[in-house]
Amino acid sequence: MGRNALLVALGVDSFGTGVFLPVTVLYLTFVIGLDLPTAGLVGAAATAVGLLVPPLAGHLVDRWGPRTVLVTAQLVQAAGAGMYLVATSVPEAFLAAALLATGQRGFYCSVFVLIADLSAETSKDRPFALAGVTMSVCFGLGAGVAGLLTGAAGDWPYRLVAAGNAVSFLVCAAILLRYVRPAPHTPSERGDGAFRQLLGDRPYLGLILVNFAFALAVDLFVLGVPVYLRLVLGAPAWMIGAVIVTSTVFRLCFQVTTVDRLRNVPRTTALTGAGLLWITWALATAAALWVPAPWNLAYLLGITLVHCVANLVHAPTSTALAEASAPPGARGRYVASFQYSFGVSNVVAPAVISLTAVHPVLPWLVLAAVLTAATAALPVLGRTLPTVAVHR
């Protein structure tokens, strides 16, 4: 009951986020009245604030338990979405964005520990895969609804999606409080030195660095491919939608099956395979510049499938490896620190995409180089991370 209720809660959360997140910049410009550079600066500053959250969130997960932190994160995000409804100036817009960013980081620092606590399986890959599929599909549905609503004239559709997002966070929190009942949490000891232990745990720090490279591959797919398609290849706008829909449908159909087939494969070996696929995808994306126009769609859909397979392997496997590699009394702080691989990637990805101005293929060559270094490090991590974490 608890795990199913958690999936429902995550679906509600992701649908609401999908409704609002894709139009956040548009909301800042059309409703609050900021110019585009200022809106971008507000978003970047809020993201930076979010990067301060993991140490505190991880500590609170170990002290309070993951459900309490997750509910708190939902309430903070609800406050942020609600703040958008009344914001009329740059400081108010920044506060709204910062609350959302803070709550979102708290969400990711706690949700995977809660999923693990509710899962009877020794291996957490499958529960993480189910949660990932639920969030991905519901986010896509929400984004589709946002596209329909914001096509209407006026600013009321934007206010409606912001209000809907706030409600989704509150509903998610209510479901978590009413129906999700993890086992009683044993608080960590005060001053137990877990952060000092983490800073001395070179294999885990190496895992965070490797996952940064893989997270960058995901971010460049989401943010960089649309830029590459439109500004470099001159592809029609509908081709961007075709690529994104292909990715979403592929994950829905094959995520859980992929995890089941890999259950006897060491996690670092599976991630090595994902890294090799992403290197191939990055180089193939760079080579798209020389593909004849009539073949562009088929070629891009083909290499998108390569990216999708890598993501199917990486998404649940990396999180399960990070959770299983953490000491029992410090899982919150370890898993929260692992989130820095995603947070830093969110900051770095736009800078990598900007290299398009130097040469159109440069972002993809840089990504391939970073992925090569990360993939080469995985066999070493396979020998140094805890055996029980590597071999499921």
Side-chain angles (χ1 to χ4, degrees), residues 249-264:
V249 171
F250 199 81
R251 187 171 188 184
L252 174 62
C253 294
F254 298 109
Q255 178 68 88
V256 176
T257 302
T258 300
V259 169
D260 287 343
R261 288 186 177 277
L262 292 172
R263 62 182 177 271
N264 295 320

Side-chain angles (χ1 to χ4, degrees), residues 139-236:
F139 182 92
L141 291 173
V145 170
L148 294 174
L149 288 175
T150 55
D155 63 7
W156 68 266
Y158 295 97
R159 294 187 181 278
L160 179 62
V161 297
N165 195 23
V167 170
S168 73
F169 293 133
L170 294 175
V171 171
C172 178
I175 294 172
L176 291 169
L177 289 171
R178 177 67 177 83
Y179 297 106
V180 177
R181 303 287 183 182
H185 176 73
T186 302
S188 61
E189 297 291 333
R190 290 185 180 273
D192 59 5
F195 280 122
R196 290 193 299 273
Q197 179 183 358
L198 171 61
L199 292 175
D201 191 337
R202 291 185 178 180
Y204 202 89
L205 295 177
L207 177 60
I208 293 173
L209 286 174
V210 166
N211 198 65
F212 159 74
F214 289 176
L216 190 61
V218 176
D219 284 343
L220 285 189
F221 176 78
V222 175
L223 302 175
V225 166
V227 172
Y228 192 63
L229 288 178
R230 292 291 287 156
L231 301 184
V232 177
L233 301 181

Side-chain angles (χ1 to χ4, degrees), residues 73-161:
Q74 297 306 96
L75 296 178
V76 171
Q77 290 185 94
M83 185 69 194
Y84 269 105
L85 295 172
V86 298
T88 58
S89 64
V90 172
E92 291 171 346
F94 169 73
L95 178 59
L99 285 170
L100 274 179
T102 298
Q104 185 181 57
R105 282 292 158 218
F107 171 90
Y108 283 111
C109 289
S110 55
V111 67
F112 296 111
V113 179
L114 181 57
I115 293 169
D117 284 353
L118 291 172
S119 303
E121 301 95 327
T122 302
S123 173
K124 310 302 181 185
D125 302 68
R126 200 171 198 274
F128 288 151
L130 287 169
V133 169
T134 300
M135 290 190 287
S136 178
V137 171
C138 290
F139 182 92
L141 291 173
V145 170
L148 294 174
L149 288 175
T150 55
D155 63 7
W156 68 266
Y158 295 97
R159 294 187 181 278
L160 179 62
V161 297

